Amino acid sequence: MFEMKMRRAIHGVLVLLVTVAAGCASYQTHTTATESQQGVARVTGTVSYRVRMILPADALVCVDLVDISRQGAPGLTIGLQEIEIGGRQVPIPFEIVYRPANIDPTHSYAVQARILGGGRLLFTNTKIYNVITNGVVSNIEVVVEQVSGG
C-alpha cells in the first residue's frame, strides 16, 4: 500500500515537472485541408472527476496520447492537447490530433490526463485508458483523481 502511494506521488511529481518544463502553452487543434491531405486522425472524449469541487479560473487541462508499450520506461507522447478552461467546469471535452502513420498496430496506446491550477497538480488519472489499437478512438471518458494536497 505504501509503495503504491509512493509510486503515485512520484508519478505526480514527474508529470508536474515535465508539464512545467514543457511550458504547458495552449495547444489548439483545428482541421484544415492540409491536415486532411496529410492523413491525420483524432482521439476525442472528456475529462471529468467525481469529487464536488470547483476548478480555479486558471486551471489547465493537459491530455496526452501516449505509446505505453515499453514496460518500465516512460511513455512516448504521440499527440497532446492543453486546454485553458477559463472558468468552465467538468466535463471538459478534448480532441487529440495524431498521424496514423505514427501508430504501430502491435503497440499499446493510452490517453493520460491531468488538471493543473495555481501552478500545482490538482488531478491526474490513475486508470489506464487504452485507445487506438483496441478500436476505441472517440467518446473516451477519462476520470481523474484528486492528488493529495491538491
Side-chain angles (χ1 to χ4, degrees):
M1 186 70 169
F2 174 75
E3 287 181 10
M4 189 131 162
K5 286 183 179 179
M6 186 59 115
R7 282 186 190 162
R8 280 189 191 157
I10 290 170
H11 178 262
V13 169
L14 290 174
V15 166
L16 182 60
L17 290 174
V18 168
T19 301
V20 170
C24 236
S26 182
Y27 179 81
Q28 299 298 323
T29 58
H30 300 285
T31 304
T32 65
T34 304
E35 284 180 344
S36 297
Q37 294 168 356
Q38 292 176 352
V40 296
R42 289 166 170 68
V43 173
T44 62
T46 59
V47 175
S48 62
Y49 51 81
R50 305 280 187 238
V51 298
R52 293 178 56 93
M53 178 181 157
I54 295 175
L55 292 172
D58 71 340
L60 182 68
V61 177
C62 301
V63 188
D64 299 302
L65 172 61
V66 180
D67 181 338
I68 58 168
S69 301
R70 303 178 315 161
Q71 290 187 354
L76 174 65
T77 300
I78 303 298
L80 63 92
Q81 183 182 25
E82 296 173 342
I83 307 153
E84 295 176 0
I85 66 165
R88 291 181 292 154
Q89 299 299 312
V90 296
I92 302 294
F94 68 85
E95 176 181 81
I96 304 170
V97 175
Y98 68 94
R99 298 198 184 291
N102 293 340
I103 300 301
D104 182 333
T106 65
H107 286 201
S108 297
Y109 299 89
V111 171
Q112 298 177 344
R114 60 204 172 281
I115 301 175
L116 303 142
R120 297 178 314 174
L121 180 63
L122 302 176
F123 293 87
T124 191
N125 63 292
T126 57
K127 177 184 170 199
I128 296 173
Y129 293 90
N130 290 308
V131 292
I132 301 175
T133 53
N134 73 344
V136 178
V137 294
S138 63
N139 300 320
I140 310 298
E141 181 189 6
V142 179
V143 179
V144 291
E145 302 291 330
Q146 192 170 18
V147 175
S148 298

